[in-house]
Amino acid sequence: MKRIRKIRNIGIIAHIDAGKTTVSERILYYTGKSHRIGEVHDGTAVMDWMDQEQERGITITSAVTTCFWRGHEIHLVDTPGHVDFTIEVERSLRVLDGVVAVFCAVGGVEPQSETVWHQADKYRIPKIAFVNKMDRIGADFQQVIRQMEEKLRANPLPIQIPVGAESDFRGVIDLIKMRQIIWLEETLGARYEYVDIEPDLLDEATEAREALVASVAEYDDALMEKYLEEQVIEPDELIRAIRKATLELKLVPVLCGAALRNKGIQPLLDAVVDFLPSPLDVPPVVGTNPESGAKEERHPSPREPLSALAFKIFMDEGRKLTYVRIYSGSMNVGNQIYNASKKTREKLSRIFSMHANKRERKERAEAGDIVALMGMKSATTGDTFCDPQYPILLEPIEMYEPVISMAVEAKTRGDQDKLMESLVKISEEDPTFRFHEDPDTGQIIIRGMGELHLEVLLTRLERDYHVSVRAGKPQVVYRETVQIEASGEGIFDREISGMRHYAKVAVRVLPRSRGAGNIVSIDVDEERVSLDLVEALRQGIEDALNSGVLLGYPVTDVEVMVTNVEIDEQNPSDIACRVAASMALKDACEKAQPELLEPYMTVEILTPEEFLGEVIGDLNLRKGRVESITAKKAVQVVNALVPLSKMFGYSTDLRSATQGRATFSMQFSHYDSVVDPQAAGLT
């Protein structure tokens, strides 16, 4: 229990380009995990180890590492900042105990900052904030504090103030200890000193400390008493009170610095140790017994039965690595582990402590650890591993539905089979990636969270799986129906192989309501028409329904009645009945005012209120129909029905219209009349 008290499972979250990975690289260097500082702009960052991350200068996949500070073991997860890879943040937050939110001192609270902050709120994760890039032109520490209050509805608590800003930024003032910290440039910031506060900053620092103590005292009765009596409040007392309020989600300690200039990282590490929770500080994990259905708790102790959650799958040179957070119990190499989600038992062949893409073998892992396992063949993201004698099913990770799709095909026949195998492997790693073969068009459709997401996956297909593909827009699959009731007739009379095949079939077709499907009824004299011929008639109707009279799309929402059948009773013919029935239905459909239907999607958009007008205006241009608008905390939720043909490129357009601050989800609703006949090829 002594070890688990000194564990910190933390993540670094932020908007893209706020400096998360730069902060992570300094943490690794100053804790001694790395012996050189990796730089994102040089493509040498340890945590951005994928080729595409180094080329693009962005984080694509969350990287896990372990480092040590002041005798504490810090399991650190560096997460992506781009909205297309938000699942990486979601599944990391699901297993973390605390987060460091990095904000740009110039950009402040940016769109993806809001998204990841609300994701952390959903899991009730304590946070500390780091205002980075204080050396940049336009840096404004107080403006970021105000934006945290306004946009995030947070209660920020500055425990530092900057000394200077922009090119004059030279250090910070620690308001808890009331000392100034300076970093020595020649040591790459590894050495730093506490010195007396500059005289011209003393009044500002004193006022800021007064505000700090007053804010913290609101959440601590003993501190409030000392504050009102104007007694001296020691740094240790403040740290204890701030920790308590942070763990209760009442305050967010805020620090500042310039990671690229090697300033501010060591106090941030101190804050991680002082204010963020150990596994013992968070409530015990709750799950369901799969046998009894009863709720059960698992406390963070190696003596409890095993419970662990798989939060990430990664294919490493063809071998599956399963990243897990162990909530209780322990696991040893060679153990039989029960996967309660898949109801399978698997042998644990290896355990690794991860440092980005480098692995360090371990024989044992315990409660509080974040490790990677090898040997879990059936594992997928969100699976629960537990003791076979004490099964438990933890709440799975919430997945996001893909919102953008693309058609792909292999460039060569030899790559066709490899393409499907590769797509299966990628979908195991990434639960927001889906693919299927469209039965109507024969296209392979891949779906993801955005254009960058799919672009990265296509590059991976070529580089990692050596499959060359062509990509393009998927085809919209239309349907056909009829608008009025009509009758039709079909006659088949032909001699085949010296034998006459004859049938005359009459049908009536009627429109049905949208989404009602098709009904086929055959009202004939059973004494004259055998069951084989009835089946042939039904097959002929089905053939005709598969290919409509307008553009050859399947016919839907119709009722078809076979009203009369004439056959050669001396020589009844299955072929003649089948073809005549098909001809009769096509004749009836041509008379029944056929029309084209297109798929409509239910779209849910979350947007800040100031962009509501732009969002609704854009939906109107796309021939969409707004169904409802509801307020949800700081955002407006718009529900609309929009034709699928108008939704291509919507992800990019929505971000442009809302400065990247709106998100949306989309799923199929129903088929309805085409709004743009020219686009559908009718004119």
Side-chain angles (χ1 to χ4, degrees), residues 307-586:
S307 66
L309 187 74
F311 69 94
K312 180 179 169 73
I313 305 294
F314 182 70
M315 293 292 182
D316 187 13
E317 297 176 353
R319 295 181 176 181
K320 181 191 279 191
L321 279 178
T322 306
Y323 287 74
V324 300
R325 160 72 190 269
I326 304 175
Y327 288 99
S328 64
S330 62
M331 52 177 66
N332 297 283
V333 171
N335 279 6
Q336 281 278 338
I337 294 179
Y338 183 60
N339 183 334
S341 306
K342 298 288 190 298
K343 298 182 180 177
T344 58
R345 293 191 187 208
E346 299 195 81
K347 186 177 180 181
L348 178 53
S349 59
R350 291 180 191 172
I351 302 174
F352 297 106
S353 176
M354 298 300 295
H355 176 47
N357 62 330
K358 296 182 174 60
R359 306 181 297 209
E360 181 183 320
R361 290 185 68 163
K362 300 177 65 162
E363 292 301 312
R364 175 182 172 86
E366 296 182 344
D369 284 340
I370 292 178
V371 293
L373 312 179
M374 194 172 280
M376 307 290 105
K377 294 176 183 176
S378 64
T380 55
T381 300
D383 284 359
T384 302
F385 298 121
C386 57
D387 188 320
Q389 304 300 316
Y390 302 94
I392 190 170
L393 201 55
L394 303 179
E395 183 183 346
I397 296 169
E398 184 178 326
M399 300 303 174
Y400 291 87
E401 283 299 312
V403 297
I404 191 168
S405 58
M406 182 184 290
V408 296
E409 65 179 15
K411 286 184 178 177
T412 66
R413 292 181 68 89
D415 279 340
Q416 188 63 37
D417 292 338
K418 282 169 62 179
L419 173 60
M420 297 303 284
E421 290 171 14
S422 303
L423 292 176
V424 168
K425 289 177 180 177
I426 291 174
S427 65
E428 284 186 32
E429 286 185 46
D430 186 348
T432 59
F433 170 71
R434 313 278 171 80
F435 73 96
H436 69 279
E437 187 170 349
D438 192 309
D440 296 302
T441 65
Q443 290 181 306
I444 295 175
I445 307 296
I446 61 173
R447 297 188 293 149
M449 298 303 294
E451 289 168 19
L452 179 61
H453 184 203
L454 293 182
E455 188 183 320
V456 166
L457 291 173
L458 289 175
T459 307
R460 284 198 63 198
L461 276 174
E462 299 230 0
R463 289 189 183 175
D464 299 349
Y465 297 96
H466 310 294
V467 179
S468 297
V469 295
R470 280 187 290 265
K473 273 189 177 181
Q475 298 172 9
V476 175
V477 179
Y478 294 92
R479 292 285 187 268
E480 296 183 20
T481 192
V482 298
Q483 300 180 66
I484 62 171
E485 180 180 340
S487 297
E489 189 177 82
I491 301 174
F492 185 85
D493 188 359
R494 189 170 301 174
E495 188 173 305
I496 302 173
S497 301
M499 187 178 295
R500 185 189 182 207
H501 293 265
Y502 171 79
K504 180 179 178 182
V505 178
V507 303
R508 191 159 77 247
V509 63
L510 300 88
R512 302 189 74 206
S513 58
R514 294 289 170 266
N518 295 332
I519 292 179
V520 178
S521 60
I522 300 175
D523 184 16
V524 295
D525 184 353
E526 293 181 5
E527 291 183 1
R528 252 184 355 101
V529 182
S530 68
L531 288 177
D532 286 345
L533 294 182
V534 168
E535 186 56 38
L537 291 168
R538 189 177 301 278
Q539 190 61 55
I541 299 295
E542 295 292 344
D543 291 344
L545 288 174
N546 283 331
S547 178
V549 296
L550 283 176
L551 295 175
Y553 288 107
V555 180
T556 189
D557 300 338
V558 298
E559 181 177 354
V560 182
M561 292 183 285
V562 177
T563 55
N564 187 49
V565 179
E566 294 180 15
I567 58 173
D568 182 349
E569 295 185 10
Q570 301 299 318
N571 187 25
S573 168
D574 293 3
I575 295 173
C577 285
R578 180 171 174 171
V579 175
S582 180
M583 294 167 64
L585 180 56
K586 287 188 180 294

Side-chain angles (χ1 to χ4, degrees), residues 127-283:
K127 312 168 199 68
I128 60 177
F130 181 72
V131 180
N132 191 27
K133 303 190 179 183
M134 284 302 305
D135 59 326
R136 291 270 298 275
I137 294 173
D140 188 339
F141 180 69
Q142 291 302 326
Q143 175 66 17
V144 179
I145 298 294
R146 287 192 293 273
Q147 288 187 8
M148 288 179 67
E149 293 170 339
E150 294 165 8
K151 293 186 176 181
L152 303 178
R153 311 284 168 90
N155 194 0
L157 179 77
I159 61 174
Q160 295 177 347
I161 57 173
V163 178
E166 301 181 342
S167 60
D168 187 41
F169 178 70
R170 54 194 183 276
V172 301
I173 292 173
D174 183 335
L175 298 176
I176 295 174
K177 297 178 180 176
M178 278 303 280
R179 299 274 281 169
Q180 185 170 325
I181 310 174
I182 59 171
W183 280 266
L184 305 178
E185 294 282 354
E186 63 271 15
T187 65
L188 292 177
R191 282 187 56 202
Y192 59 104
E193 294 176 355
Y194 281 84
V195 299
D196 291 337
I197 298 171
E198 296 174 18
D200 58 336
L201 294 174
L202 195 54
D203 288 347
E204 182 188 348
T206 303
E207 187 181 329
R209 191 178 199 273
E210 279 288 311
L212 166 71
V213 174
S215 296
V216 178
E218 288 183 33
Y219 305 101
D220 190 288
D221 293 341
L223 207 63
M224 177 63 82
E225 195 173 320
K226 292 189 77 171
Y227 174 65
L228 293 174
E229 293 175 1
E230 297 186 355
Q231 296 181 32
V232 175
I233 296 175
E234 298 296 330
D236 286 350
E237 294 176 280
L238 264 180
I239 288 172
R240 279 196 299 273
I242 294 171
R243 178 180 180 80
K244 181 172 177 290
T246 303
L247 297 186
E248 292 172 354
L249 306 180
K250 293 173 179 173
L251 290 173
V252 179
V254 184
L255 302 90
C256 60
L260 195 61
R261 298 287 171 261
N262 309 313
K263 292 180 173 71
I265 302 303
Q266 294 92 338
L268 177 62
L269 283 164
D270 287 336
V272 167
V273 168
D274 289 338
F275 306 129
L276 291 182
S278 77
L280 296 175
D281 295 316
V282 296

Side-chain angles (χ1 to χ4, degrees), residues 35-152:
H35 300 296
R36 63 176 178 82
I37 296 178
E39 300 292 8
V40 174
H41 56 269
D42 291 337
T44 57
V46 174
M47 300 298 268
D48 283 353
W49 57 270
M50 289 176 65
D51 289 343
Q52 291 197 65
E53 292 178 315
Q54 292 169 357
E55 289 168 7
R56 297 170 188 268
I58 61 170
T59 302
I60 291 171
T61 181
S62 52
V64 182
T65 193
T66 302
C67 55
F68 295 86
W69 186 256
R70 282 174 36 192
H72 288 69
E73 185 177 336
I74 300 173
H75 300 146
L76 176 71
V77 180
D78 177 30
T79 64
H82 197 285
V83 66
D84 282 15
F85 309 106
T86 192
I87 185 60
E88 291 285 336
V89 184
E90 182 81 24
R91 57 186 180 182
S92 297
L93 289 174
R94 173 68 174 79
V95 298
L96 294 173
D97 300 326
V99 296
V100 176
V102 179
F103 298 100
C104 172
V106 182
V109 177
E110 297 171 280
Q112 188 65 2
S113 308
E114 294 181 66
T115 303
V116 295
W117 188 276
H118 295 319
Q119 283 175 297
D121 278 344
K122 181 170 70 176
Y123 293 113
R124 296 190 58 76
I125 297 176
K127 312 168 199 68
I128 60 177
F130 181 72
V131 180
N132 191 27
K133 303 190 179 183
M134 284 302 305
D135 59 326
R136 291 270 298 275
I137 294 173
D140 188 339
F141 180 69
Q142 291 302 326
Q143 175 66 17
V144 179
I145 298 294
R146 287 192 293 273
Q147 288 187 8
M148 288 179 67
E149 293 170 339
E150 294 165 8
K151 293 186 176 181
L152 303 178

Side-chain angles (χ1 to χ4, degrees), residues 583-657:
M583 294 167 64
L585 180 56
K586 287 188 180 294
D587 181 42
C589 286
E590 285 175 351
K591 298 173 183 174
Q593 294 182 15
E595 71 168 336
L596 204 61
L597 303 178
E598 66 179 323
Y600 274 68
M601 312 303 285
T602 300
V603 183
E604 182 182 81
I605 304 149
L606 277 69
T607 177
E609 190 168 358
E610 59 261 41
F611 299 111
L612 186 60
E614 287 88 341
V615 167
I616 292 174
D618 183 64
L619 288 173
N620 289 334
L621 288 174
R622 294 173 188 274
K623 315 291 186 184
R625 185 172 75 244
V626 175
E627 301 281 283
S628 67
I629 302 172
T630 52
K632 187 176 180 182
K633 286 193 174 179
V635 298
Q636 297 287 323
V637 182
V638 180
N639 285 287
L641 283 171
V642 191
L644 174 61
S645 60
K646 301 296 182 183
M647 289 302 289
F648 294 123
Y650 185 63
S651 179
T652 303
D653 293 344
L654 180 66
R655 287 177 201 164
S656 300

